[in-house]
Coordinates of all heavy atoms in Angstrom, one line a residue:
C686 N 50.6 -6.3 66.2 CA 49.5 -5.8 65.1 C 49.5 -4.2 65.1 O 49.4 -3.6 64.1 CB 48.0 -6.3 65.5 SG 47.9 -8.1 65.5
E687 N 49.5 -3.6 66.2 CA 49.6 -2.1 66.1 C 50.8 -1.5 65.5 O 50.7 -0.5 64.7 CB 49.5 -1.6 67.7 CG 49.4 -0.1 67.8 CD 49.3 0.3 69.4 OE1 50.0 -0.3 70.2 OE2 48.4 1.1 69.6
L688 N 51.9 -2.1 65.8 CA 53.2 -1.7 65.0 C 53.1 -1.8 63.6 O 53.5 -1.0 62.8 CB 54.3 -2.5 65.6 CG 55.6 -2.2 65.2 CD1 56.1 -0.7 65.5 CD2 56.9 -3.2 65.6
A689 N 52.7 -3.0 63.2 CA 52.6 -3.4 61.8 C 51.7 -2.5 61.0 O 52.0 -2.0 60.0 CB 52.1 -4.7 61.6
D690 N 50.6 -2.2 61.8 CA 49.6 -1.4 61.0 C 50.0 0.1 61.1 O 50.0 0.9 60.1 CB 48.2 -1.4 61.8 CG 46.9 -1.0 60.9 OD1 46.8 -1.8 59.9 OD2 46.3 -0.1 61.2
G691 N 50.6 0.6 62.2 CA 51.0 2.0 62.3 C 52.2 2.4 61.4 O 52.2 3.5 60.9
Q692 N 53.0 1.5 61.2 CA 54.3 1.7 60.2 C 53.9 1.5 58.9 O 54.7 1.6 58.0 CB 55.4 0.9 60.7 CG 55.8 1.3 62.0 CD 57.1 0.5 62.5 OE1 57.5 -0.5 61.8 NE2 57.7 0.9 63.6
G693 N 52.6 1.1 58.5 CA 52.3 0.8 57.1 C 52.9 -0.5 56.6 O 52.9 -0.6 55.3
L694 N 53.1 -1.4 57.3 CA 53.9 -2.6 56.9 C 52.9 -3.5 56.2 O 53.3 -4.4 55.5 CB 54.5 -3.4 58.1 CG 55.6 -2.6 58.9 CD1 56.2 -3.5 60.0 CD2 56.7 -2.2 58.0
N695 N 51.6 -3.3 56.5 CA 50.5 -4.0 55.7 C 50.1 -3.2 54.3 O 49.1 -3.6 53.8 CB 49.4 -4.3 56.5 CG 49.7 -5.4 57.5 OD1 50.5 -6.4 57.4 ND2 49.1 -5.2 58.6
G696 N 50.8 -2.1 54.1 CA 50.4 -1.4 52.9 C 49.6 -0.2 53.4 O 49.0 0.5 52.5
G697 N 49.6 0.1 54.7 CA 48.8 1.2 55.1 C 47.9 0.7 56.2 O 47.9 -0.4 56.6
E698 N 47.3 1.7 56.9 CA 46.4 1.4 58.0 C 45.2 0.5 57.4 O 44.6 0.8 56.5 CB 45.8 2.7 58.6 CG 46.9 3.5 59.4 CD 46.3 4.9 59.9 OE1 45.1 5.0 59.6 OE2 47.0 5.4 60.6
L699 N 45.0 -0.6 58.2 CA 44.0 -1.6 57.7 C 43.1 -2.2 58.7 O 41.9 -2.3 58.3 CB 44.9 -2.8 57.0 CG 44.1 -3.8 56.3 CD1 43.3 -3.4 55.1 CD2 44.9 -4.9 55.8
F700 N 43.6 -2.6 59.9 CA 42.9 -3.4 60.7 C 41.5 -2.8 61.2 O 40.6 -3.5 61.4 CB 43.7 -3.6 62.0 CG 44.8 -4.6 61.8 CD1 46.1 -4.3 62.0 CD2 44.5 -6.0 61.5 CE1 47.1 -5.3 61.7 CE2 45.4 -6.9 61.3 CZ 46.7 -6.5 61.4
E701 N 41.4 -1.5 61.3 CA 40.0 -1.0 61.7 C 38.9 -0.9 60.6 O 37.9 -0.7 60.9 CB 40.2 0.4 62.3 CG 40.5 1.5 61.2 CD 40.8 2.8 61.8 OE1 39.8 3.6 62.1 OE2 42.0 3.3 62.1
Y702 N 39.3 -1.4 59.3 CA 38.4 -1.4 58.2 C 38.1 -2.7 57.6 O 37.6 -2.8 56.6 CB 39.2 -0.6 57.1 CG 39.5 0.8 57.4 CD1 40.8 1.2 57.8 CD2 38.4 1.8 57.5 CE1 41.1 2.6 58.1 CE2 38.8 3.2 57.8 CZ 40.1 3.4 58.2 OH 40.2 4.8 58.5
L703 N 38.3 -3.7 58.6 CA 38.1 -5.1 58.1 C 36.8 -5.7 58.6 O 36.4 -6.8 58.3 CB 39.3 -6.0 58.6 CG 40.6 -5.7 58.1 CD1 41.6 -6.7 58.5 CD2 40.6 -5.5 56.5
G704 N 36.0 -5.0 59.4 CA 34.8 -5.4 60.0 C 33.7 -5.8 59.1 O 33.6 -5.5 57.9
T705 N 32.7 -6.7 59.5 CA 31.7 -7.2 58.8 C 30.9 -6.2 58.0 O 30.4 -6.4 56.8 CB 30.8 -8.2 59.6 OG1 31.7 -9.1 60.2 CG2 29.8 -8.8 58.8
P706 N 30.4 -5.0 58.6 CA 29.7 -4.0 57.8 C 30.4 -3.6 56.6 O 29.8 -3.4 55.5 CB 29.5 -2.9 58.8 CG 29.6 -3.4 60.1 CD 30.6 -4.6 60.0
N707 N 31.8 -3.4 56.7 CA 32.4 -3.1 55.3 C 32.4 -4.2 54.3 O 32.3 -3.9 53.1 CB 34.0 -2.7 55.7 CG 34.2 -1.4 56.4 OD1 33.9 -0.4 55.7 ND2 34.6 -1.3 57.6
V708 N 32.6 -5.4 54.8 CA 32.5 -6.5 53.7 C 31.1 -6.7 53.2 O 31.0 -6.9 52.0 CB 32.9 -7.9 54.5 CG1 33.0 -9.0 53.6 CG2 34.3 -7.7 55.2
A709 N 30.1 -6.4 54.0 CA 28.7 -6.4 53.5 C 28.5 -5.3 52.3 O 27.9 -5.5 51.3 CB 27.8 -6.2 54.7
R710 N 29.1 -4.1 52.6 CA 29.1 -3.1 51.7 C 29.8 -3.3 50.5 O 29.5 -3.1 49.3 CB 29.5 -1.7 52.3 CG 29.5 -0.5 51.4 CD 28.0 -0.2 50.9 NE 27.9 0.9 50.0 CZ 28.2 0.8 48.7 NH1 28.5 -0.3 48.2 NH2 28.2 1.8 47.9
D711 N 30.9 -4.0 50.6 CA 31.7 -4.6 49.5 C 30.9 -5.5 48.6 O 31.0 -5.4 47.3 CB 32.9 -5.4 50.0 CG 34.0 -4.5 50.6 OD1 34.1 -3.3 50.4 OD2 35.0 -5.1 51.2
M712 N 30.0 -6.3 49.1 CA 29.2 -7.2 48.4 C 28.2 -6.4 47.6 O 27.8 -6.8 46.5 CB 28.6 -8.3 49.4 CG 29.4 -9.3 49.9 SD 28.7 -10.9 50.2 CE 27.6 -10.4 51.6
V713 N 27.6 -5.5 48.2 CA 26.7 -4.5 47.4 C 27.4 -4.0 46.1 O 26.9 -4.2 45.0 CB 26.2 -3.3 48.4 CG1 25.5 -2.4 47.4 CG2 25.4 -3.8 49.4
E714 N 28.7 -3.5 46.3 CA 29.5 -3.0 45.2 C 29.6 -4.2 44.2 O 29.6 -3.8 42.9 CB 30.7 -2.3 45.6 CG 31.3 -1.4 44.7 CD 30.5 -0.1 44.5 OE1 29.5 0.1 45.2 OE2 30.8 0.7 43.6
M715 N 30.1 -5.3 44.7 CA 30.3 -6.5 43.7 C 29.1 -6.8 42.9 O 29.1 -7.1 41.8 CB 30.8 -7.6 44.6 CG 32.3 -7.4 44.9 SD 33.0 -9.0 45.7 CE 32.7 -8.5 47.4
V716 N 28.0 -6.8 43.6 CA 26.8 -7.1 42.9 C 26.4 -6.2 41.8 O 26.1 -6.5 40.7 CB 25.5 -7.2 43.9 CG1 24.2 -7.3 43.0 CG2 25.6 -8.4 44.8
D717 N 26.6 -4.9 42.1 CA 26.5 -3.7 41.1 C 27.5 -4.1 39.9 O 27.2 -3.7 38.8 CB 26.6 -2.3 41.7 CG 25.3 -2.1 42.5 OD1 24.4 -2.7 42.5 OD2 25.5 -1.1 43.4
K718 N 28.6 -4.4 40.2 CA 29.8 -4.5 39.2 C 29.4 -5.6 38.3 O 29.7 -5.6 37.2 CB 31.2 -4.5 39.9 CG 31.6 -3.2 40.6 CD 31.7 -2.1 39.6 CE 32.0 -0.9 40.4 NZ 32.0 0.4 39.6
V719 N 28.9 -6.8 38.9 CA 28.6 -7.8 38.0 C 27.5 -7.4 37.0 O 27.5 -7.8 35.9 CB 28.1 -9.0 38.9 CG1 27.4 -10.1 38.2 CG2 29.2 -9.6 39.7
D720 N 26.4 -6.7 37.5 CA 25.3 -6.2 36.8 C 25.9 -5.2 35.6 O 25.5 -5.3 34.5 CB 24.3 -5.5 37.6 CG 23.1 -5.3 36.9 OD1 22.4 -6.1 36.5 OD2 22.9 -4.0 36.7
E721 N 26.7 -4.3 36.0 CA 27.4 -3.5 35.0 C 28.1 -4.2 33.8 O 28.0 -3.9 32.6 CB 28.3 -2.5 35.6 CG 27.6 -1.4 36.5 CD 28.6 -0.5 37.4 OE1 29.8 -0.6 36.9 OE2 28.1 0.2 38.3
L722 N 28.8 -5.3 34.3 CA 29.6 -5.9 33.3 C 28.7 -6.7 32.3 O 28.9 -6.8 31.2 CB 30.6 -6.9 34.1 CG 31.3 -7.9 33.1 CD1 32.3 -7.1 32.2 CD2 32.2 -8.9 34.0
R723 N 27.6 -7.4 32.9 CA 26.6 -8.0 32.0 C 26.0 -7.0 31.0 O 25.8 -7.3 29.9 CB 25.6 -8.6 33.0 CG 24.7 -9.5 32.2 CD 24.2 -10.7 33.1 NE 25.3 -11.6 33.5 CZ 25.6 -11.8 34.8 NH1 25.0 -11.4 35.7 NH2 26.6 -12.7 35.0
E724 N 25.7 -5.8 31.4 CA 25.1 -4.8 30.6 C 26.1 -4.4 29.6 O 25.7 -4.2 28.3 CB 24.5 -3.7 31.4 CG 23.4 -3.9 32.2 CD 22.8 -2.6 32.9 OE1 23.3 -1.6 32.7 OE2 21.8 -2.7 33.6
K725 N 27.4 -4.2 29.9 CA 28.4 -3.9 29.0 C 28.6 -5.0 28.0 O 28.7 -4.6 26.8 CB 29.6 -3.5 29.8 CG 30.9 -3.1 28.8 CD 32.0 -2.9 29.7 CE 33.1 -2.5 28.9 NZ 34.5 -2.3 29.8

């Protein structure tokens, strides 16, 4: 996993950014984007 991540084989460094707090923050943004689309 370290080799794949370090060499960018997954499209760049990724593994340290997959934790639950990041996904929870993603959901905040998705809620906002749904609201923006509805207003648009």
Side-chain angles (χ1 to χ4, degrees):
C686 298
E687 185 177 43
L688 179 65
D690 205 63
Q692 293 184 350
L694 300 180
N695 288 323
E698 295 179 351
L699 180 65
F700 282 116
E701 66 182 281
Y702 301 100
L703 300 185
T705 302
N707 281 301
V708 181
R710 180 62 182 84
D711 288 345
M712 287 206 296
V713 172
E714 199 71 8
M715 283 186 268
V716 169
D717 287 345
K718 295 302 179 181
V719 168
D720 188 68
E721 289 175 12
L722 178 61
R723 187 153 293 122
E724 290 185 357
K725 179 180 178 181

